Amino acid sequence: MRTVNIHEAKTHLSRLIEAAMKGESFIIAKAGRPMVRVSPITAPEETQKRRLGFLAGQIRVPEDFDRMGQDEVISLFDGPA
């Protein structure tokens, strides 16, 4: 990873940002001591799509799913029956 001093970073900031946007991270140093790392902020690319339905056919939802635990939930609100 490339290291640049603060003066060089201020002088060539636009050029360094362009390089970082292309994936070339760099470190800014003060008196030779690394201070910060600059890397691009990566947002999900449009090619990365949500994979809806990727577990289709691999799981089964029971017929009584919406009634599962019904008695326990009612007892939590109303007390034991």
Side-chain angles (χ1 to χ4, degrees):
M1 185 175 301
R2 179 178 174 191
T3 301
V4 297
N5 63 38
I6 291 177
H7 176 73
E8 182 182 355
K10 289 193 299 186
T11 305
H12 302 288
L13 184 60
S14 296
R15 202 175 310 158
L16 290 169
I17 289 174
E18 281 186 35
M21 288 173 47
K22 293 177 184 175
E24 301 172 29
S25 300
F26 62 94
I27 294 174
I28 298 177
K30 181 177 184 179
R33 196 170 121 225
M35 301 301 285
V36 296
R37 178 182 308 138
V38 179
S39 56
I41 297 174
T42 54
E45 297 176 6
E46 291 182 25
T47 57
Q48 296 176 340
K49 296 187 180 187
R50 295 182 73 182
R51 300 181 321 151
L52 295 176
F54 72 98
L55 288 176
Q58 296 182 25
I59 60 171
R60 187 178 78 67
V61 177
E63 291 293 325
D64 65 341
F65 177 77
D66 58 340
R67 294 183 307 277
M68 290 174 59
Q70 174 176 304
D71 296 333
E72 290 84 5
V73 172
I74 290 172
S75 71
L76 289 171
F77 284 97
D78 298 337

